[in-house]
């Protein structure tokens, strides 16, 4: 009996050891580089999503971030092919986190015919360029106000324009469905050369009917003669909205509102606008190309994801939030970023984060002409939501005028002629300068170069070299712009290099171009 028990124990131990050895074999060698080699061999024979994910983690451990990004992307694609969209989107985020990109650009006089490749012909759409806009109704720094028809106080747009150093093309407001047309707000826009964006939000989709209220609203909109963007029932893909949960009913109501506006108010463009997440619930709510004149998306940069102190959001590049919607719809609809803002203070810890907000602002606005030239409008939500948001949403301070560094960065980004200060009421607007990838261009005189740089490190060092000599060293996230004066260069072929380093001086990326100088 004792012998049998002993033999059984030894046998069980042997089986346990075998299982442990198999598990160890799959985990791989202990050394970081040995693990990379092990999992590279493993995905070659077993190309499973889990194996690509583990390989990606091994690459991260040895700081090979481009390969980590690629491996996470392959894992995401496998999950996507199996219709496991939640897992795919989660791994997409990891892939984006470790991406590395360095692309040099040059600004040139816009060729109207060439720029038409970005143009869909939608109502109020510029051929090339991007309208800027803002929400300012809770900007406490603005003393100039006027009283609207609902008894509330609204901020003067001219004061905001003055304080941020540039004229905004669009200002937006929130309006509950069922309230009267906001005539005073729209008139104030008209008096100051701006267009109006109205975030029109029903508390119950069943109240949206083909009735006198809807037709009267359309009539008053038409009579205003002001360019109006109606953002009906936005963020419908999020369960925080009262019109979430029934995509078919939502589409029916959006189409109803669009039919009335298209028929009765030719100065109204309908904007369909989800939140950037959850991405898997965006497409089911799309009402169709006939109903939506523009496609929008709302995106925010915050230090803590979902207001969770354990979920760091500082690593995320806000340009990534545009990809899903842009890739789906930009070929046939102009894209409007209906709301964007970067927080410079979270209610979780009340720690000032001016640099965080300024960096995210720079990354986002720099991405628009370089990665997303079909984004034709972007609006900043300038509000201290810690103070002014409804209970439960008091999370971050986005007010531009509360933080001098963030306000200054906003002003700097809008210096670019790519950003447009007025919605054209006649011929489509067009920016006077186009930003295109730097190639083998012929250049002369003073030309502006810039770059799109994305690395896992928040603030890399970007170095420009001409014919091997360093001419610029930049660290503030954004377009990394500088002026090249070709009069100091010989005629003929010249080398321009874009070099990216991390904070320790390690090279992350390098791109070189040969330009032809003709002085």
């Amino acid at each position: 009996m004792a012998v049998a028990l002993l033999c059984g124990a030894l046998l069980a131990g042997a089986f346990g050891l075998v299982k442990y050895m198999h598990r160890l074999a799959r985990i791989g060698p202990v050394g970081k580089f040995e693990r990379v080699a092990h999992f590279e061999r493993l995905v070659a024979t077993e190309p499973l999503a889990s194996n690509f994910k583990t390989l990606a983690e091994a690459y991260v451990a040895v700081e090979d971030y481009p390969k980590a990004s690629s491996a996470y992307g392959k894992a995401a694609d496998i999950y996507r092919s199996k219709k496991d969209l939640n897992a795919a989107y989660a791994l997409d985020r990891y892939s984006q986190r470790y991406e590395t990109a360095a692309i040099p650009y040059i600004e040139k006089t816009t060729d109207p015919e060439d720029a038409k490749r970005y143009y869909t012909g939608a109502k109020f759409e510029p051929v090339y360029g991007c309208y800027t806009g803002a929400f300012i109704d809770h900007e406490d720094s603005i003393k100039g106000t006027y009283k609207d028809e609902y008894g509330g106080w609204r901020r003067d747009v001219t004061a905001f324009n003055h304080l941020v150093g540039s004229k905004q093309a669009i200002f937006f407001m929130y309006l509950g469905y069922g309230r009267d047309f906001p005539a005073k707000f729209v008139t104030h826009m008209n008096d100051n050369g701006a267009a109006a964006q109205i975030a029109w939000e029903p508390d119950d989709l069943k109240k949206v009917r083909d009735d006198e209220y809807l037709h009267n609203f359309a009539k008053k909109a038409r009579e205003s003669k002001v360019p109006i963007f109606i953002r009906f029932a936005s963020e419908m893909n999020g369960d925080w909205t009262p019109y979430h949960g029934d995509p078919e009913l939502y589409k029916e109501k959006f189409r109803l509102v669009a039919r009335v506006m298209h028929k009765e108010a030719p100065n109204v463009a309908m904007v369909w606008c989800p939140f950037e997440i959850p991405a898997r619930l965006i497409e089911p709510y799309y009402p169709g190309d006939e109903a939506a004149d523009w496609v929008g998306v709302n995106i925010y940069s915050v230090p803590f994801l979902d207001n969770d102190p354990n979920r760091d959001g500082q690593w995320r590049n806000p340009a990534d939030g545009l990809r899903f919607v842009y890739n789906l719809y930009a070929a046939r609809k102009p894209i409007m970023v209906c709301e964007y803002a970067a927080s410079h203070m979270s209610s979780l810890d009340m720690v000032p984060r001016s640099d965080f907000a300024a960096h995210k602002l720079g990354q986002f606005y720099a991405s628009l002409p370089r990665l997303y030239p079909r984004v034709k409008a972007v609006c900043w939500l300038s509000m201290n939501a810690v103070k002014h948001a409804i209970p439960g949403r008091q999370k971050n301070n986005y007010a531009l005028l509360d933080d001098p560094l963030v306000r200054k960065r906003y002003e700097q980004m809008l210096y670019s002629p790519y950003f447009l200060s007025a919605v054209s009421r006649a011929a489509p607007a067009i920016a006077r300068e186009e930003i295109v990838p730097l190639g083998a261009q012929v250049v002369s005189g003073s030309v502006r170069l810039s770059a799109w740089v994305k690395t896992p490190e928040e603030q890399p060092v970007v170095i420009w070299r001409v014919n091997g000599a360093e001419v610029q060293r930049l660290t503030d996230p954004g377009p990394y712009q500088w002026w090249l004066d070709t009069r100091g260069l010989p005629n003929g072929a010249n080398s321009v290099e874009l070099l990216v380093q991390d904070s320790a001086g390690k090279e992350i990326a390098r791109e070189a171009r040969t330009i032809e100088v003709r002085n």
Side-chain angles (χ1 to χ4, degrees), residues 404-470:
L405 178 64
V406 181
R407 186 207 61 75
K408 185 62 178 177
R409 191 62 170 145
Y410 185 79
E411 180 181 352
Q412 291 170 343
M413 293 307 300
L414 268 57
Y415 285 158
S416 170
Y418 174 77
F419 294 108
L420 303 171
S421 61
V423 174
S424 176
R425 305 188 187 201
I430 185 167
R432 67 179 185 272
E433 291 184 6
E434 186 178 355
I435 301 172
V436 299
L438 179 64
Q441 285 100 339
V442 175
V443 297
S444 61
S446 184
V447 294
R448 185 154 57 181
L449 302 185
S450 63
W452 170 251
V453 173
K454 184 173 188 283
T455 74
E457 186 163 306
E458 176 67 17
Q459 198 169 1
V461 178
V462 174
I463 300 168
W464 289 93
R465 292 176 178 168
V466 177
N467 296 329
E470 181 178 323

Coordinates of all heavy atoms in Angstrom, one line a residue, residues 404-470:
P404 N -2.0 79.7 -19.5 CA -1.3 80.5 -20.5 C -0.5 79.7 -21.5 O -0.4 80.0 -22.7 CB -0.4 81.4 -19.7 CG -1.0 81.5 -18.3 CD -1.7 80.2 -18.1
L405 N 0.1 78.6 -21.0 CA 0.9 77.8 -21.9 C 0.1 77.1 -23.0 O 0.4 77.1 -24.2 CB 1.7 76.7 -21.1 CG 2.6 75.8 -22.0 CD1 3.7 76.5 -22.7 CD2 3.1 74.7 -21.1
V406 N -1.1 76.6 -22.6 CA -2.0 75.9 -23.5 C -2.6 76.9 -24.5 O -2.7 76.6 -25.7 CB -3.1 75.1 -22.7 CG1 -4.0 74.4 -23.7 CG2 -2.4 74.1 -21.7
R407 N -3.0 78.1 -24.0 CA -3.5 79.1 -24.8 C -2.5 79.5 -25.9 O -2.8 79.6 -27.1 CB -3.9 80.3 -24.0 CG -4.7 81.4 -24.8 CD -4.5 82.8 -24.3 NE -3.1 83.2 -24.2 CZ -2.4 83.6 -25.3 NH1 -3.0 83.6 -26.5 NH2 -1.1 84.0 -25.2
K408 N -1.3 79.7 -25.5 CA -0.2 80.1 -26.4 C 0.0 79.0 -27.4 O 0.3 79.3 -28.6 CB 1.1 80.4 -25.6 CG 2.2 81.0 -26.5 CD 1.8 82.3 -27.1 CE 2.9 82.9 -28.0 NZ 2.5 84.2 -28.6
R409 N 0.0 77.8 -27.0 CA 0.3 76.7 -28.0 C -0.9 76.6 -29.0 O -0.6 76.4 -30.2 CB 0.4 75.3 -27.2 CG 0.9 74.2 -28.1 CD 2.2 74.5 -28.6 NE 2.8 73.3 -29.2 CZ 3.6 73.4 -30.3 NH1 3.9 74.5 -30.8 NH2 4.2 72.3 -30.8
Y410 N -2.1 76.8 -28.6 CA -3.2 76.9 -29.5 C -3.0 78.0 -30.5 O -3.2 77.8 -31.7 CB -4.5 77.1 -28.7 CG -5.8 77.0 -29.5 CD1 -6.3 75.8 -29.9 CD2 -6.4 78.2 -29.9 CE1 -7.5 75.8 -30.6 CE2 -7.6 78.2 -30.7 CZ -8.1 76.9 -31.0 OH -9.3 76.9 -31.7
E411 N -2.6 79.2 -30.0 CA -2.4 80.3 -30.9 C -1.3 79.9 -32.0 O -1.4 80.2 -33.2 CB -2.0 81.5 -30.1 CG -1.7 82.7 -31.0 CD -1.2 83.9 -30.1 OE1 -1.3 83.8 -28.9 OE2 -0.8 84.9 -30.7
Q412 N -0.2 79.3 -31.5 CA 0.9 78.9 -32.4 C 0.4 77.9 -33.5 O 0.8 78.1 -34.6 CB 2.0 78.3 -31.6 CG 2.7 79.3 -30.7 CD 3.7 78.7 -29.7 OE1 3.6 77.5 -29.5 NE2 4.6 79.5 -29.2
M413 N -0.3 76.9 -33.1 CA -0.8 75.9 -34.0 C -1.6 76.5 -35.1 O -1.6 76.1 -36.3 CB -1.5 74.8 -33.3 CG -0.6 74.0 -32.4 SD 0.9 73.3 -33.2 CE 0.2 72.3 -34.5
L414 N -2.4 77.5 -34.8 CA -3.3 78.1 -35.8 C -2.7 79.2 -36.6 O -3.4 79.8 -37.5 CB -4.6 78.7 -35.1 CG -5.8 77.7 -35.0 CD1 -5.4 76.4 -34.3 CD2 -7.0 78.3 -34.3
Y415 N -1.4 79.4 -36.4 CA -0.7 80.3 -37.4 C -0.6 79.7 -38.8 O -0.5 80.4 -39.7 CB 0.8 80.5 -36.9 CG 1.0 81.4 -35.7 CD1 2.2 81.3 -34.9 CD2 0.1 82.4 -35.4 CE1 2.4 82.1 -33.9 CE2 0.3 83.2 -34.3 CZ 1.4 83.1 -33.5 OH 1.6 83.9 -32.5
S416 N -0.7 78.4 -38.9 CA -0.6 77.7 -40.2 C -1.7 78.2 -41.1 O -2.9 78.2 -40.7 CB -0.6 76.2 -40.0 OG -0.7 75.6 -41.3
P417 N -1.4 78.6 -42.3 CA -2.4 78.9 -43.3 C -3.4 77.8 -43.6 O -4.4 78.0 -44.3 CB -1.6 79.5 -44.5 CG -0.3 78.8 -44.4 CD 0.0 78.7 -42.9
Y418 N -3.0 76.6 -43.2 CA -3.9 75.4 -43.5 C -5.2 75.6 -42.7 O -6.3 75.2 -43.2 CB -3.2 74.2 -43.0 CG -4.1 72.9 -43.1 CD1 -4.3 72.3 -44.3 CD2 -4.6 72.4 -42.0 CE1 -5.1 71.2 -44.4 CE2 -5.4 71.3 -42.0 CZ -5.7 70.7 -43.3 OH -6.5 69.6 -43.3
F419 N -5.2 76.3 -41.6 CA -6.4 76.5 -40.8 C -7.2 77.7 -41.3 O -6.6 78.8 -41.4 CB -6.1 76.5 -39.3 CG -5.5 75.2 -38.8 CD1 -4.2 75.1 -38.5 CD2 -6.3 74.1 -38.6 CE1 -3.6 73.9 -38.0 CE2 -5.8 72.9 -38.2 CZ -4.5 72.8 -37.9
L420 N -8.5 77.5 -41.5 CA -9.3 78.5 -42.1 C -10.2 79.2 -41.1 O -10.7 78.6 -40.2 CB -10.2 77.9 -43.2 CG -9.4 77.1 -44.3 CD1 -10.4 76.3 -45.2 CD2 -8.6 78.1 -45.1
S421 N -10.3 80.5 -41.2 CA -11.0 81.3 -40.2 C -12.4 81.7 -40.6 O -13.1 82.4 -39.8 CB -10.2 82.6 -39.9 OG -10.1 83.4 -41.1
A422 N -12.9 81.3 -41.7 CA -14.3 81.6 -42.1 C -14.9 80.5 -43.0 O -14.2 80.0 -43.9 CB -14.4 82.9 -42.8
V423 N -16.1 80.2 -42.7 CA -16.9 79.2 -43.6 C -17.4 80.0 -44.8 O -18.1 81.0 -44.7 CB -18.0 78.6 -42.8 CG1 -18.9 77.7 -43.8 CG2 -17.5 77.8 -41.7
S424 N -16.9 79.6 -46.0 CA -17.3 80.3 -47.2 C -18.8 80.1 -47.5 O -19.3 79.0 -47.4 CB -16.5 79.8 -48.4 OG -16.9 80.4 -49.6
R425 N -19.4 81.2 -47.8 CA -20.8 81.2 -48.2 C -21.0 81.2 -49.7 O -22.2 81.1 -50.2 CB -21.6 82.4 -47.6 CG -21.4 82.4 -46.1 CD -22.3 83.5 -45.5 NE -22.0 83.7 -44.0 CZ -22.8 84.2 -43.2 NH1 -24.0 84.6 -43.6 NH2 -22.5 84.4 -41.9
A426 N -19.9 81.3 -50.4 CA -20.0 81.3 -51.9 C -19.2 80.2 -52.5 O -19.5 79.0 -52.2 CB -19.5 82.7 -52.4
A427 N -18.1 80.5 -53.2 CA -17.3 79.4 -53.7 C -16.6 78.7 -52.5 O -16.3 79.3 -51.5 CB -16.2 80.0 -54.7
P428 N -16.3 77.4 -52.7 CA -15.7 76.7 -51.6 C -14.3 77.3 -51.2 O -13.6 77.8 -52.1 CB -15.5 75.3 -52.1 CG -16.5 75.2 -53.2 CD -16.6 76.5 -53.8
A429 N -14.1 77.4 -49.9 CA -12.8 77.9 -49.4 C -11.6 77.0 -49.8 O -11.8 75.8 -50.0 CB -12.9 78.1 -47.9
I430 N -10.5 77.6 -49.8 CA -9.3 76.8 -50.1 C -8.1 77.5 -49.4 O -7.9 78.7 -49.5 CB -9.0 76.6 -51.6 CG1 -7.8 75.7 -51.9 CG2 -8.8 78.0 -52.3 CD1 -7.7 75.2 -53.3
A431 N -7.3 76.7 -48.7 CA -6.1 77.2 -48.0 C -5.1 77.6 -49.1 O -4.9 76.9 -50.1 CB -5.5 76.2 -47.0
R432 N -4.3 78.6 -48.8 CA -3.4 79.1 -49.8 C -2.1 78.3 -49.9 O -1.4 78.4 -50.9 CB -3.1 80.6 -49.6 CG -2.3 80.9 -48.3 CD -2.0 82.4 -48.2 NE -1.1 82.6 -47.0 CZ -1.6 82.9 -45.8 NH1 -2.9 82.8 -45.6 NH2 -0.7 83.1 -44.8
E433 N -1.8 77.5 -48.9 CA -0.6 76.7 -48.9 C -1.0 75.2 -48.6 O -1.8 75.0 -47.7 CB 0.4 77.2 -47.9 CG 1.0 78.5 -48.3 CD 2.1 79.0 -47.3 OE1 2.5 78.2 -46.4 OE2 2.6 80.1 -47.5
E434 N -0.3 74.3 -49.3 CA -0.6 72.9 -49.1 C 0.7 72.3 -48.5 O 1.8 72.6 -48.8 CB -0.8 72.3 -50.5 CG -1.2 70.8 -50.5 CD -1.6 70.3 -51.8 OE1 -1.5 71.0 -52.8 OE2 -1.8 69.0 -51.9
I435 N 0.4 71.3 -47.6 CA 1.5 70.6 -46.9 C 1.6 69.2 -47.5 O 0.6 68.4 -47.4 CB 1.2 70.5 -45.4 CG1 1.1 72.0 -44.8 CG2 2.3 69.7 -44.7 CD1 0.6 72.0 -43.4
V436 N 2.7 68.9 -48.2 CA 2.9 67.6 -48.9 C 4.2 67.0 -48.4 O 5.1 67.6 -47.9 CB 2.9 67.9 -50.4 CG1 1.6 68.5 -50.9 CG2 4.1 68.8 -50.8
P437 N 4.3 65.6 -48.6 CA 5.5 65.0 -48.2 C 6.7 65.5 -49.0 O 6.6 65.8 -50.2 CB 5.2 63.5 -48.6 CG 3.7 63.4 -48.5 CD 3.2 64.7 -49.0
L438 N 7.8 65.6 -48.3 CA 9.0 66.1 -48.9 C 9.6 65.0 -49.8 O 9.8 63.8 -49.3 CB 10.0 66.5 -47.9 CG 11.4 67.0 -48.4 CD1 11.2 68.3 -49.2 CD2 12.4 67.2 -47.2
G439 N 9.8 65.3 -51.0 CA 10.4 64.3 -51.9 C 11.5 64.9 -52.7 O 12.3 65.7 -52.1
A440 N 11.6 64.6 -54.0 CA 12.7 65.2 -54.8 C 12.2 66.5 -55.4 O 12.4 66.7 -56.6 CB 13.1 64.2 -55.9
Q441 N 11.7 67.4 -54.6 CA 11.2 68.7 -55.1 C 12.3 69.6 -55.6 O 13.4 69.5 -55.0 CB 10.3 69.4 -54.1 CG 8.9 68.8 -53.9 CD 8.9 67.9 -52.7 OE1 9.9 67.4 -52.2 NE2 7.7 67.6 -52.2
V442 N 12.0 70.5 -56.5 CA 12.9 71.6 -56.8 C 12.5 72.7 -55.9 O 11.3 73.2 -55.9 CB 12.7 72.0 -58.3 CG1 13.6 73.2 -58.6 CG2 13.1 70.8 -59.2
V443 N 13.4 73.3 -55.2 CA 13.1 74.4 -54.2 C 14.1 75.5 -54.5 O 15.2 75.4 -54.9 CB 13.3 73.9 -52.8 CG1 12.3 72.8 -52.5 CG2 14.7 73.3 -52.5
S444 N 13.6 76.7 -54.1 CA 14.4 77.9 -54.2 C 13.9 78.9 -53.2 O 12.7 78.9 -52.8 CB 14.4 78.5 -55.6 OG 13.0 78.9 -55.9
G445 N 14.8 79.8 -52.7 CA 14.4 80.8 -51.7 C 14.2 80.2 -50.3 O 14.8 79.2 -49.9
S446 N 13.2 80.8 -49.6 CA 12.9 80.4 -48.3 C 11.7 79.5 -48.3 O 10.6 79.9 -48.7 CB 12.7 81.6 -47.4 OG 12.5 81.2 -46.0
V447 N 11.8 78.2 -47.8 CA 10.7 77.3 -47.8 C 10.6 76.7 -46.4 O 11.6 76.6 -45.6 CB 10.9 76.1 -48.8 CG1 10.9 76.7 -50.2 CG2 12.2 75.4 -48.5
R448 N 9.3 76.4 -46.0 CA 9.1 75.9 -44.7 C 9.0 74.3 -44.7 O 8.2 73.8 -45.5 CB 7.8 76.5 -44.1 CG 7.6 76.0 -42.6 CD 6.8 77.0 -41.8 NE 5.5 77.3 -42.4 CZ 4.6 78.1 -41.8 NH1 4.9 78.8 -40.7 NH2 3.4 78.4 -42.4
L449 N 9.8 73.7 -43.9 CA 9.7 72.3 -43.8 C 9.1 71.9 -42.4 O 9.1 72.7 -41.5 CB 11.1 71.7 -43.8 CG 11.9 71.9 -45.1 CD1 13.2 71.2 -45.1 CD2 11.1 71.5 -46.3
S450 N 8.5 70.7 -42.3 CA 7.9 70.3 -41.1 C 7.9 68.7 -41.1 O 8.4 68.1 -42.0 CB 6.5 70.8 -40.9 OG 5.6 70.3 -42.0
A451 N 7.4 68.1 -40.0 CA 7.5 66.7 -39.9 C 6.3 66.2 -39.1 O 5.8 66.8 -38.2 CB 8.8 66.3 -39.3
W452 N 5.9 64.9 -39.4 CA 5.1 64.2 -38.5 C 5.9 63.1 -37.9 O 6.6 62.3 -38.5 CB 3.9 63.5 -39.3 CG 3.2 62.5 -38.4 CD1 3.2 61.1 -38.4 CD2 2.4 62.8 -37.3 NE1 2.5 60.6 -37.4 CE2 1.9 61.6 -36.7 CE3 2.0 64.0 -36.7 CZ2 1.1 61.6 -35.6 CZ3 1.2 64.0 -35.5 CH2 0.7 62.8 -35.0
V453 N 6.0 63.2 -36.5 CA 6.9 62.3 -35.8 C 6.0 61.7 -34.7 O 5.3 62.4 -33.9 CB 8.1 63.1 -35.1 CG1 8.8 62.2 -34.2 CG2 9.0 63.6 -36.2
K454 N 6.1 60.4 -34.6 CA 5.3 59.6 -33.6 C 6.3 58.6 -33.0 O 6.8 57.7 -33.8 CB 4.1 59.0 -34.2 CG 3.2 58.3 -33.2 CD 1.9 57.9 -33.9 CE 0.9 57.3 -32.9 NZ 1.2 56.0 -32.4
T455 N 6.4 58.6 -31.7 CA 7.3 57.6 -31.1 C 6.6 57.1 -29.8 O 5.7 57.8 -29.2 CB 8.7 58.1 -30.7 OG1 8.6 59.0 -29.6 CG2 9.3 58.8 -31.9
P456 N 7.0 56.0 -29.2 CA 6.5 55.7 -27.9 C 6.9 56.7 -26.8 O 6.2 56.7 -25.7 CB 7.1 54.3 -27.6 CG 7.5 53.8 -28.9 CD 7.9 55.0 -29.7
E457 N 7.9 57.4 -27.0 CA 8.3 58.4 -26.0 C 7.6 59.7 -26.3 O 7.4 60.2 -27.5 CB 9.8 58.7 -26.1 CG 10.3 59.6 -25.1 CD 11.8 59.6 -24.9 OE1 12.4 58.5 -24.7 OE2 12.5 60.6 -25.0
E458 N 7.0 60.3 -25.3 CA 6.2 61.5 -25.4 C 6.9 62.7 -26.0 O 6.3 63.4 -26.9 CB 5.6 61.9 -24.0 CG 4.8 63.2 -24.0 CD 3.5 63.0 -24.8 OE1 3.1 61.9 -25.0 OE2 2.9 64.1 -25.1
Q459 N 8.1 62.9 -25.7 CA 8.8 64.1 -26.2 C 10.2 63.8 -26.7 O 11.2 64.0 -26.1 CB 9.0 65.1 -25.0 CG 9.2 66.5 -25.4 CD 9.1 67.5 -24.3 OE1 8.8 67.2 -23.2 NE2 9.3 68.8 -24.6
P460 N 10.2 63.2 -27.9 CA 11.5 62.9 -28.5 C 12.3 64.1 -29.0 O 11.7 65.2 -29.0 CB 11.1 62.0 -29.8 CG 9.8 62.6 -30.1 CD 9.1 62.9 -28.8
V461 N 13.5 64.0 -29.3 CA 14.3 65.1 -29.9 C 14.3 64.9 -31.4 O 14.7 63.8 -31.9 CB 15.8 65.0 -29.3 CG1 16.6 66.1 -30.0 CG2 15.8 65.1 -27.8
V462 N 13.9 66.0 -32.1 CA 13.9 65.9 -33.5 C 15.0 66.9 -34.1 O 15.0 68.0 -33.8 CB 12.5 66.4 -34.0 CG1 12.5 66.5 -35.6 CG2 11.4 65.4 -33.6
I463 N 15.8 66.3 -34.9 CA 17.0 67.0 -35.4 C 16.9 67.0 -37.0 O 16.6 66.0 -37.6 CB 18.3 66.3 -35.0 CG1 18.4 66.2 -33.5 CG2 19.5 67.0 -35.7 CD1 19.5 65.3 -33.0
W464 N 17.0 68.2 -37.5 CA 17.1 68.4 -39.0 C 18.6 68.7 -39.3 O 19.3 69.5 -38.7 CB 16.3 69.6 -39.4 CG 14.8 69.4 -39.3 CD1 14.0 69.8 -38.2 CD2 13.9 68.9 -40.3 NE1 12.7 69.5 -38.5 CE2 12.6 68.9 -39.7 CE3 14.1 68.4 -41.5 CZ2 11.5 68.5 -40.5 CZ3 13.0 67.9 -42.3 CH2 11.7 68.0 -41.7
R465 N 19.0 68.0 -40.4 CA 20.3 68.2 -40.9 C 20.3 68.5 -42.4 O 19.4 67.9 -43.1 CB 21.2 66.9 -40.7 CG 21.5 66.6 -39.3 CD 22.3 65.3 -39.2 NE 22.7 65.0 -37.8 CZ 23.1 63.8 -37.4 NH1 23.2 62.8 -38.3 NH2 23.4 63.6 -36.2
V466 N 21.1 69.3 -42.9 CA 21.3 69.7 -44.3 C 22.7 69.4 -44.7 O 23.6 70.0 -44.1 CB 20.9 71.1 -44.6 CG1 21.1 71.5 -46.1 CG2 19.4 71.4 -44.2
N467 N 22.9 68.5 -45.7 CA 24.2 68.1 -46.1 C 25.1 67.7 -45.0 O 26.3 68.0 -44.9 CB 24.8 69.2 -46.9 CG 24.0 69.6 -48.2 OD1 23.4 68.7 -48.8 ND2 24.1 70.8 -48.6
G468 N 24.5 67.0 -44.0 CA 25.2 66.4 -42.9 C 25.4 67.3 -41.7 O 25.9 66.9 -40.6
A469 N 25.1 68.6 -41.8 CA 25.2 69.6 -40.7 C 23.9 69.8 -40.0 O 22.9 70.1 -40.7 CB 25.8 70.9 -41.3
E470 N 23.9 69.8 -38.7 CA 22.7 70.0 -37.9 C 22.3 71.5 -38.1 O 23.1 72.4 -37.8 CB 22.9 69.7 -36.5 CG 21.7 69.9 -35.6 CD 21.9 69.5 -34.2 OE1 22.6 68.4 -33.9 OE2 21.3 70.1 -33.3

